[in-house]
Amino acid sequence: PIVVDNSTKKNYNSDDCDALGWKYINMGGNAGLSKAYNMAVQSIPHDIMDYFVLLDDDSCVPQKYFDSLEYYIFKTNADILVPAIKGQDGNFYSPNEIRFFKNKQIKNEYQMINKKKFNAINSCTCIRSTIFDSYFYDEKLFLDQVDHKFFEDMREKKVHFCQMPIIIEHNFSLKEPKKDYEFLTFRYTILIKDYLTFVSSKRIKLLLGKIKVIFWGIKESIKIKNIKWNSNTLKFNLL
């Protein structure tokens, strides 16, 4: 295992990794998820490792996942394998069918996604290592949309996706039932910047993206009952 430490607080991760015999990489602070992923995949010997799995620290991964992973790799020979990711609110968020304004979510772990519109989150995704012989995560994206950009690129490459009917519990920060104004301000500052970077490749996508950002602001402001229009930032009292 390789641990890439993006943390900003003092911890004993290095000592823990040494005790377990794991490789430890210190990013020297929060350099962003895309840079952390790139550091990890560049540290993997592709010639002796066929697949690797990305694991975020907020996913609860059961042994059943790894047992099933071995089975589905041999059964399908897929390039990318993903489980079903369930949030703390009970809804499934990955994999999903990509749409511009709102992705179509699955109802259960057995519902199949159209492979031409296949999308997922990075955590618990198993990837054939040779993909990274010529691919890097987009470091213009700090945190959000890193996974969307990866799967967009993989759809263009027409790689072989596999859905595994295994459920992984995952805590999404924006799905917490109690959110205050300060948290939303901090979280959406990152999300909006990354999202507008992600959709900036085409003018029409950027325009629609700004409209989507406005509706994010309306939705979250109503939830916390704090509505105030800010025309300079195109959002409702979030930034």
Side-chain angles (χ1 to χ4, degrees):
I2 299 173
V3 174
V4 181
D5 191 346
N6 239 3
S7 59
T8 56
K9 297 180 180 179
K10 184 177 179 180
N11 57 63
Y12 299 96
N13 291 341
S14 178
D15 295 338
D16 292 340
C17 287
D18 287 342
L20 292 167
W22 296 357
K23 184 174 182 178
Y24 175 81
I25 300 174
N26 190 347
M27 298 295 288
N30 192 354
L33 188 62
S34 55
K35 290 184 178 180
Y37 281 161
N38 282 336
M39 182 65 74
V41 298
Q42 290 173 42
S43 303
I44 295 171
H46 298 178
D47 57 333
I48 62 173
M49 190 174 297
D50 295 331
Y51 290 88
F52 68 90
V53 178
L54 295 171
L55 296 172
D56 292 348
D57 62 359
D58 46 8
S59 291
C60 182
V61 187
Q63 180 60 44
K64 184 179 180 181
Y65 165 76
F66 294 102
D67 296 337
S68 298
L69 189 59
E70 183 177 12
Y71 169 78
Y72 281 101
I73 285 175
F74 284 105
K75 179 181 179 181
T76 67
N77 195 35
D79 299 303
I80 297 176
L81 303 95
V82 302
I85 304 291
K86 180 187 283 189
Q88 63 269 47
D89 58 1
N91 293 319
F92 288 92
Y93 290 96
S94 177
N96 54 69
E97 186 175 301
I98 194 70
R99 292 178 176 178
F100 190 86
F101 282 103
K102 182 176 175 58
N103 292 353
K104 182 179 179 181
Q105 298 173 350
I106 58 176
K107 302 296 184 182
N108 57 65
E109 67 271 31
Y110 299 102
Q111 183 178 341
M112 293 292 103
I113 298 292
N114 183 340
K115 296 303 186 287
K116 293 182 179 180
K117 299 181 179 181
F118 194 91
N119 187 58
I121 69 171
N122 278 317
S123 187
C124 299
T125 294
C126 178
I127 307 168
R128 191 185 297 276
S129 60
T130 52
I131 284 176
F132 292 99
D133 289 347
S134 58
Y135 182 85
F136 294 92
Y137 285 95
D138 187 348
E139 295 187 356
K140 294 191 297 293
L141 301 171
F142 183 80
L143 174 61
D144 297 290
Q145 312 305 310
V146 174
D147 42 14
H148 294 286
K149 183 64 168 66
F150 172 74
F151 279 95
E152 179 180 77
D153 294 338
M154 294 302 106
R155 290 194 301 271
E156 290 180 359
K157 289 178 177 289
K158 294 181 171 56
V159 304
H160 180 191
F161 297 111
C162 171
Q163 289 179 242
M164 300 186 298
I166 303 299
I167 298 176
I168 300 293
E169 305 287 344
H170 186 94
N171 289 317
F172 295 91
S173 60
L174 287 174
K175 302 302 178 183
E176 290 294 339
K178 293 183 178 180
K179 296 175 287 188
D180 57 27
Y181 175 75
E182 288 73 21
F183 169 78
L184 286 173
T185 300
F186 168 76
R187 192 63 188 83
Y188 272 90
T189 298
I190 300 172
L191 173 58
I192 291 170
K193 183 176 184 294
D194 278 344
Y195 179 71
L196 293 180
T197 298
F198 175 63
V199 298
S200 63
S201 59
K202 294 181 179 179
R203 185 174 298 179
I204 185 62
K205 288 180 65 176
L206 181 58
L207 175 61
L208 292 173
K210 290 181 178 180
I211 295 173
K212 184 174 179 178
V213 165
I214 291 174
F215 281 100
W216 281 346
I218 295 172
K219 181 184 69 173
E220 295 295 352
S221 297
I222 291 174
K223 283 183 179 179
I224 63 173
K225 300 178 181 179
N226 189 5
I227 302 178
K228 181 180 179 182
W229 172 249
N230 186 337
S231 60
N232 293 323
T233 54
L234 295 177
K235 27 192 122 37
F236 280 78
N237 208 29
L238 287 178
L239 294 176

